[in-house]
Amino acid sequence: MKTSLKLTSGSIGSALLISGLFINGAAMAADDGAHQGLYSADELIGADVFAADNHGEAAAEVEDVLFDNDMQLAALVVESGSLLNADHRLYVIETGNFRVETHNGNSLDNMEYEVYLNLNQAQVSEQPEYTDTWWNNTKDELNQAWQSTQQGAQSAWQATKEATSNALDSAGSTMQELGNKIQGSADSAENVDSAESTAN
């Protein structure tokens, strides 16, 4: 059984992987309309990687998968082979640049993945190299962006609560004023009736 999954997502730059690949089907569309539902990171690591200009021979293999603070897969790290004329360099491949084909997806023992890039061999070597410098810079940038998003969400929630509370307070005050007016009118009418009864 063979299922072809195209992995799609935006990014904010060549090295910043904010949008990333979501393992929930929402950011993955299969070429044949099917979805795998679950994917094995263990099986994905070590999978053959094929460049766009050579599907006949693997140009690299998956070395690692990168997750963000929300535990969403952000990118693949691939180790180049001899076809790229590079001695085992590691490159970061963003999620808009590849698709994954699943073979034997119903068998844990026999399941295999193949990764197909929409980059040719030369373009792969132009991707960010997976180094300590890239790792530290990117994780700091992503963490700051994530914290800003969380703070923004909390601020919006707080503002919504305050607006709702103020609206309820205002409505309560209006109802209290209306109740006071009705009570005042009733008291006035009672006083008039009492006065007329005394006059008679």
Side-chain angles (χ1 to χ4, degrees), residues 32-48:
D32 58 4
H35 293 277
Q36 180 75 16
L38 288 175
Y39 300 87
S40 169
D42 182 59
E43 295 297 336
L44 187 57
I45 293 174
D48 286 337

Side-chain angles (χ1 to χ4, degrees), residues 5-176:
L5 276 295
K6 184 173 293 182
L7 310 178
T8 60
S9 175
S11 74
I12 62 170
S14 62
L16 300 182
L17 312 168
I18 284 185
S19 294
L21 160 68
F22 302 98
I23 308 181
N24 59 12
M28 297 186 292
D31 289 345
D32 58 4
H35 293 277
Q36 180 75 16
L38 288 175
Y39 300 87
S40 169
D42 182 59
E43 295 297 336
L44 187 57
I45 293 174
D48 286 337
V49 178
F50 297 87
D53 54 350
N54 189 350
H55 284 183
E57 187 174 359
E61 68 177 32
V62 177
E63 180 71 16
D64 203 353
V65 292
L66 307 180
F67 293 86
D68 63 16
N69 280 349
D70 293 319
M71 293 311 295
Q72 296 168 345
L73 183 60
L76 296 181
V77 176
V78 303
E79 182 177 13
S80 64
S82 59
L83 290 179
L84 297 177
N85 296 320
D87 296 329
H88 303 290
R89 291 177 181 249
L90 300 176
Y91 295 100
V92 179
I93 306 298
E94 298 185 38
T95 56
N97 291 326
F98 64 87
R99 61 184 173 85
V100 173
E101 286 191 359
T102 303
H103 301 271
N104 303 316
N106 294 327
S107 172
L108 292 175
D109 292 332
N110 300 314
M111 181 167 49
E112 294 181 358
Y113 295 123
E114 289 180 345
V115 178
Y116 290 87
L117 307 180
N118 60 14
L119 305 170
N120 61 37
Q121 297 174 44
Q123 290 172 323
V124 171
S125 63
E126 296 172 355
Q127 301 308 299
E129 194 168 347
Y130 189 53
T131 63
D132 286 344
T133 298
W134 181 91
W135 172 266
N136 289 313
N137 290 341
T138 303
K139 72 181 180 67
D140 290 344
E141 292 285 348
L142 289 176
N143 195 43
Q144 290 175 14
W146 182 82
Q147 289 179 353
S148 295
T149 300
Q150 296 298 308
Q151 291 170 359
Q154 291 175 358
S155 297
W157 172 243
Q158 186 62 33
T160 300
K161 288 201 303 181
E162 290 176 357
T164 302
S165 178
N166 291 338
L168 291 174
D169 290 344
S170 177
S173 298
T174 299
M175 292 299 294
Q176 183 63 43

Side-chain angles (χ1 to χ4, degrees), residues 181-199:
K181 289 181 180 179
I182 293 174
Q183 185 62 47
S185 297
D187 291 343
S188 297
E190 184 177 347
N191 291 337
V192 169
D193 290 340
S194 178
E196 289 178 352
S197 298
T198 302

